[in-house]
Amino acid sequence: KESAQLAVTWVRVHAEEYPIRLAIEYMKKHYAEKITLEDVAAHSGFNPTYFSEKFKEKTGKNFTDFLTEVRMEAAKELLRDSRKTIGQIGDAVGYKDAKYFSQQFTKSAVCLLFVLRRQNLAFLLARSRNRSILSLQVMMLKRRCSFPEPKSS
């Protein structure tokens, strides 16, 4: 009897977690597209209100904040590994308005977009007359923006 109760509890817990995991996978796969709470809730099999409550309960973040975080992580990768413009990167991660993307990114990463690329940081250092001040500024920006390390080939 006790094992049956454990099984029922396990099924209940996982029945609520599985749709949330499904939603997270969907968001990570489709972040570049227009995604709404209603779309993801439907994909997960929940109505939007219930999904929103359960999503926040399971992840600790609301839907919009979580999606923004997924998009900003993808933007960091693109900024680090590509030469695309800010507008192109915004478009690639689901923002059609470059200005809005820039505002969201700045709010999310707390740093300036045009200084993010490591190769540009080196260029600025090489051209600067006062390298020690610029080096300090670059170091401070790098600390505030947590970037993944470059992938070794």
Side-chain angles (χ1 to χ4, degrees), residues 5-20:
Q5 279 183 316
L6 285 173
V8 168
T9 302
W10 186 88
V11 168
R12 277 191 193 135
V13 167
H14 290 293
E16 286 183 353
E17 287 179 2
Y18 177 73
I20 301 303

Side-chain angles (χ1 to χ4, degrees), residues 58-128:
K58 298 294 181 190
T59 66
K61 297 177 181 150
N62 69 37
F63 170 81
T64 303
D65 290 345
F66 191 90
L67 179 58
T68 299
E69 190 174 287
V70 167
R71 287 175 167 165
M72 293 305 122
E73 287 304 313
K76 285 181 184 180
E77 284 286 331
L78 288 170
L79 281 165
R80 184 176 57 81
D81 294 337
S82 76
R83 295 214 177 268
K84 291 182 178 182
T85 67
I86 297 304
Q88 290 169 327
I89 289 172
D91 193 51
V93 298
Y95 291 93
K96 303 308 173 207
D97 181 348
K99 183 177 179 183
Y100 182 69
F101 165 68
S102 179
Q103 290 169 345
Q104 288 296 104
F105 192 90
T106 302
K107 186 169 34 170
S108 169
V110 194
C111 51
L112 300 171
L113 288 172
F114 64 89
V115 197
L116 292 177
R117 297 174 201 246
R118 289 183 177 176
Q119 59 268 38
N120 287 353
L121 296 176
F123 174 76
L124 288 171
L125 280 171
R127 298 202 26 134
S128 173

